Amino acid sequence: MMASGGQMSAAEVSLPTGMLRVCVEGGDPDWPLDRLCGFAARRNPKRGFLVVSKVLGRHWPARPREMRAAVRALAARLPGDLAGPVVVMGLAETAVCLGQTLHEEMAREDALYLHSTRQRIDHPLLARFEEPHSHASAHLVYEPVVPGFERPRTLVLVDDEVSTGTTLTNLARALVTRWPSVERIVVATLTDWSGGGWLAAMPRPATIASLLQGRLDWTPAGVADDLAGFEAAAGTLGVLDDPVNHGRLGRSDSDVAEPDMQPAVQGPLRIVGTGEFTYAPFRLAERLEDAGRDVVVQATSRSPARIGGALACALSFDDNYGTGVPNFLYNADAADGRTTWICHETPGVDPALVAALNAQTLRWSGR
């Protein structure tokens, strides 16, 4: 869709919930729209479309090398003069792995990674903010346990795509209230559809770095899904007893623990992360790919969507964090010949998901 020479291009995407007009206005020529994302229909009256990233390892099965390459390209677009200490914040659930990989690529000793969460743990809360267009709008941010980041000077806020900037503005305001030492904010995202006007509302001078810039013009079709039961449960927060700190309490390193056990595998492999637990599964997939394995990465989601567009199939099952909220796995075809490993930090996962993919489960329970 990107014309030669980086000229603006446009297309219309017809979805069951409406018509989406996609205008690409600029970006990295190595990362055109078709390489970065597709589109599908949300089952959500607040927003009827979904940007389906092809390099995130969430709704679309992604190669670890492609995921790494996208994050490396995004990291190269960050300003080179960021004053430390730096806090890199990934938004749950979608951008947890993206944010942690970006933190790793930055390779700064004065940078902390921290991600928002929808899980309650026994630890002091730093901030709470809202994601208005989401079914599960509440995000929690906990006090980092790593010393030396009590007065950060720079925030790097990471999300997979930006459409209005409202959520990021809400997050920035909440963090600056607790960290008035912040002098500068950088938003890092794979695709920026916002136009950037919202940056003026940020509580500190702010810029945005992305691989692609454009606009999304949405015309809803008036199609309504019966989500009354889902909407009632969607805001439920999970509870994690004695959680391992994969990023909710802040990490200054990129060390990744191994699963409790790792089965032998032959042939192509699908590694599935669950909810907010995505970075360690990605690193496992990356290591196996480096060893010559044919492996793709995906992750479960709380976001309900319709089949069509960039979503070919879906599985529905119970949330492994015990909230009672339905969870989904998209574009995971049990007939594609891949062995499936489902990775989790919780005591278990829904047996229905395991059976649907004839999967094996890998738990991370160590420190």
Side-chain angles (χ1 to χ4, degrees):
M1 290 184 57
M2 176 70 79
S4 61
Q7 296 176 356
M8 187 174 70
S9 62
E12 290 186 341
V13 181
S14 180
L15 299 170
T17 50
M19 180 67 70
L20 185 65
R21 189 169 189 271
V22 183
C23 298
V24 176
E25 298 174 331
D28 188 328
D30 291 333
W31 294 94
L33 180 67
D34 289 346
R35 187 179 181 186
L36 283 171
C37 65
F39 301 92
R42 280 178 182 263
R43 296 172 60 209
N44 185 337
K46 301 175 185 176
R47 179 180 294 177
F49 65 90
L50 178 69
V51 179
V52 179
S53 173
K54 296 179 180 179
V55 296
L56 197 64
R58 178 69 62 174
H59 297 88
W60 186 280
R63 301 281 180 183
R65 286 196 185 102
E66 187 77 348
M67 294 170 65
R68 174 69 68 178
V71 178
R72 187 162 291 161
L74 181 58
R77 288 181 165 254
L78 295 177
D81 59 346
L82 301 181
V86 177
V87 171
V88 180
M89 170 72 69
L91 271 73
E93 59 185 3
T94 306
V96 169
C97 181
L98 175 65
Q100 200 155 0
T101 310
L102 184 72
H103 170 265
E104 181 187 352
E105 286 293 326
M106 290 172 66
R108 291 183 56 149
E109 294 183 357
D110 64 346
L112 176 81
Y113 177 68
L114 183 68
H115 73 77
S116 70
T117 180
R118 294 185 175 103
Q119 313 305 326
R120 290 177 292 171
I121 61 178
D122 185 15
H123 190 78
L125 196 65
L126 176 73
R128 178 176 177 140
F129 67 99
E130 299 294 320
E131 182 179 3
H133 69 267
S134 174
H135 285 292
S137 62
H139 286 250
L140 307 177
V141 181
Y142 290 100
E143 292 272 9
V145 296
V146 181
F149 294 91
E150 295 82 5
R151 294 178 55 82
R153 296 177 64 190
T154 301
L155 297 179
V156 178
L157 309 182
V158 186
D159 208 355
D160 63 308
E161 57 96 6
V162 178
S163 51
T164 67
T166 302
T167 300
L168 290 160
T169 303
N170 291 345
L171 169 59
R173 288 172 176 167
L175 292 178
V176 168
T177 297
R178 293 300 305 273
W179 285 329
S181 57
V182 170
E183 302 166 2
R184 183 179 183 183
I185 298 171
V186 178
V187 173
T189 184
L190 297 169
T191 55
D192 174 21
W193 310 103
S194 70
W198 58 278
L199 292 169
M202 288 290 237
R204 296 290 188 272
T207 56
I208 189 164
S210 64
L211 297 182
L212 182 147
Q213 304 88 46
R215 296 194 321 273
L216 298 176
D217 296 321
W218 174 244
T219 304
V223 176
D225 287 294
D226 183 8
L227 293 176
F230 183 88
E231 291 281 4
T236 305
L237 297 173
V239 178
L240 280 176
D241 297 321
D242 192 28
V244 177
N245 178 23
H246 297 291
R248 293 184 185 92
L249 303 183
R251 295 289 298 263
S252 58
D253 58 55
S254 300
D255 295 340
V256 176
E258 294 295 317
D260 294 354
M261 55 81 69
Q262 184 175 314
V265 63
Q266 293 183 344
L269 178 65
R270 172 180 23 249
I271 291 184
V272 178
T274 45
E276 297 170 4
F277 183 66
T278 49
Y279 179 67
F282 160 67
R283 290 285 298 273
L284 172 62
E286 193 172 43
R287 178 166 58 81
L288 292 171
E289 186 181 47
D290 288 344
R293 294 287 186 189
D294 174 359
V295 58
V296 295
V297 181
Q298 299 179 242
T300 63
S301 172
R302 291 168 61 124
S303 178
R306 287 170 169 258
I307 300 305
L311 302 181
C313 57
L315 297 170
S316 179
F317 43 91
D318 290 336
D319 180 21
N320 62 301
Y321 290 96
T323 62
V325 178
N327 275 211
F328 308 92
L329 181 64
Y330 298 101
N331 290 327
D333 185 356
D336 65 4
R338 290 187 177 274
T339 297
T340 299
W341 291 352
I342 300 174
C343 304
H344 58 104
E345 60 177 335
T346 54
V349 294
D350 188 346
L353 175 62
V354 177
L357 294 172
N358 191 26
Q360 294 174 291
T361 59
L362 281 67
R363 187 186 182 193
W364 273 253
S365 61
R367 292 294 188 265

